[in-house]
Amino acid sequence: MAEQPNDWTNAIDTTRPSIARAYDVVLNGKDNFEVDRAFVAEIVKVVPEIYDVATYNRRMLGRGVRFLSGQGITQFIDLGSGLPTVENTHQVAQRANPESRVVYVDNDPMVLAHGRALLADNAGTAVVTSDLRDPKVILADPAVKRLIELDQPVAVLLVGILHHLHDDEDPRGIVEAYMSAVPSGSYLFITHFCASSQEARDAEQKYLALLGTGRFRTPEEITALFDGFELLEPGVVPLPLWRPDEPVPAEQLTVGQRLMYGGIARKP
């Protein structure tokens, strides 16, 4: 793995909730603090299923990576990856093809610390501590250059992260920056909080008030993030409906099952 600045390990802020650590809470992880648990407790008040939502997103990650591996993809850039947990991108991808290479990118210093420990013996995987809003810096990182060949198809993963970018941070432009750096035959994989119910809109207000981020976009706004690429069937849909392993009755989806939408597109 690439060398990382030592000061990241001293930069953990336990006075305010972290995106990565809050996600760890809802995945029943142990790498979080009381401030993160308190934040999640407030979200539970408006979306009692929020722990299930994290599971839906994790399962979608697994299905998506398996699908991409089936398309011959062996290079993955996982942006805003969060803390390591079960069935991480590299585990799913390398199970399908041991030659798969994965770079995780997150701006939370805890991700670097735990990622280093998890990946110490995995030469095909690295963790980069950086902000996904700076594509040029990330694409120039030594770990990315070592593992990712940008003249060969790459899967760009933005799973559960773009809703943490405000509109004025130009999430669409950020998507375009990464996708312009990868060749034809590459894939874009997005999951995103959706303004699919009143409960979702209430949750958005909690996220914005307590975390400072959390833009719940409409299905149309999420679909627009894929403009210019070949959106694959079944399109942008609630996560349980994206190529499920078992049939899911669309008419019976709960608030939690509709809280996040996602899809995958191919760069022509």
Side-chain angles (χ1 to χ4, degrees), residues 17-18 44 104 126 129 141 154 173 186 210 242 249 260:
S18 142
V44 167
Y104 293 105
T129 303
D141 188 276
V154 178
S186 294
L210 300 174
W242 196 91
M260 293 187 74

Side-chain angles (χ1 to χ4, degrees), residues 153-254:
V154 178
V156 176
L157 279 59
L158 288 151
V159 174
I161 191 65
L162 285 178
H163 44 242
H164 292 299
L165 300 187
H166 298 292
D167 291 347
D168 61 6
E169 293 176 301
D170 191 18
R172 171 61 191 167
I174 290 171
V175 167
E176 289 178 342
Y178 286 107
M179 294 306 292
S180 66
V182 297
S184 174
S186 294
Y187 287 84
L188 172 64
F189 180 7
I190 295 173
T191 70
H192 197 296
F193 280 142
C194 184
S196 53
S197 65
Q198 184 57 53
E199 291 89 346
R201 290 184 283 274
D202 292 343
E204 178 181 44
Q205 294 308 308
K206 289 276 189 181
Y207 268 86
L208 292 173
L210 300 174
L211 192 62
T213 66
R215 171 76 161 79
F216 285 52
R217 296 183 169 93
T218 65
E220 294 76 17
E221 288 174 313
I222 299 169
T223 301
L225 294 169
F226 292 97
D227 284 353
F229 309 110
E230 298 171 353
L231 189 59
L232 306 180
E233 291 295 333
V236 173
V237 295
L239 300 191
L241 299 183
W242 196 91
R243 305 192 181 209
D245 295 325
E246 298 176 356
V248 178
E251 67 277 3
Q252 297 178 18
L253 292 184
T254 65

Side-chain angles (χ1 to χ4, degrees), residues 11-18 21 32-36 110:
I12 298 171
D13 183 356
T14 63
T15 66
R16 54 180 297 171
S18 142
R21 298 194 313 258
N32 53 74
F33 299 105
E34 177 56 36
V35 67
D36 309 302
M110 282 187 68

Side-chain angles (χ1 to χ4, degrees), residues 4 26 41 50 53 57 63 94 107 116 124 136 140 176 216-217 231 235 249 259:
Q4 301 290 343
V26 293
I50 195 65
V53 174
N57 191 54
R63 294 197 306 276
Q94 291 175 354
N107 66 356
R116 274 183 166 172
K136 288 184 179 179
E176 289 178 342
F216 285 52
R217 296 183 169 93
L231 189 59
L259 198 72

Side-chain angles (χ1 to χ4, degrees), residues 56-117:
Y56 302 144
N57 191 54
R58 204 69 190 174
R59 289 175 179 168
M60 171 76 174
L61 173 67
R63 294 197 306 276
V65 172
R66 287 196 299 272
F67 167 79
L68 293 166
S69 295
Q71 305 308 300
I73 297 296
T74 59
Q75 304 188 108
F76 299 81
I77 302 177
D78 190 342
L79 298 158
S81 56
L83 286 155
T85 180
V86 296
E87 290 296 276
N88 300 288
T89 299
H90 76 280
Q91 292 168 316
V92 178
Q94 291 175 354
R95 189 182 305 130
N97 185 336
E99 300 301 314
S100 293
R101 302 182 302 280
V102 178
V103 175
Y104 293 105
V105 179
D106 203 286
N107 66 356
D108 191 309
M110 282 187 68
V111 174
L112 172 63
H114 289 274
R116 274 183 166 172

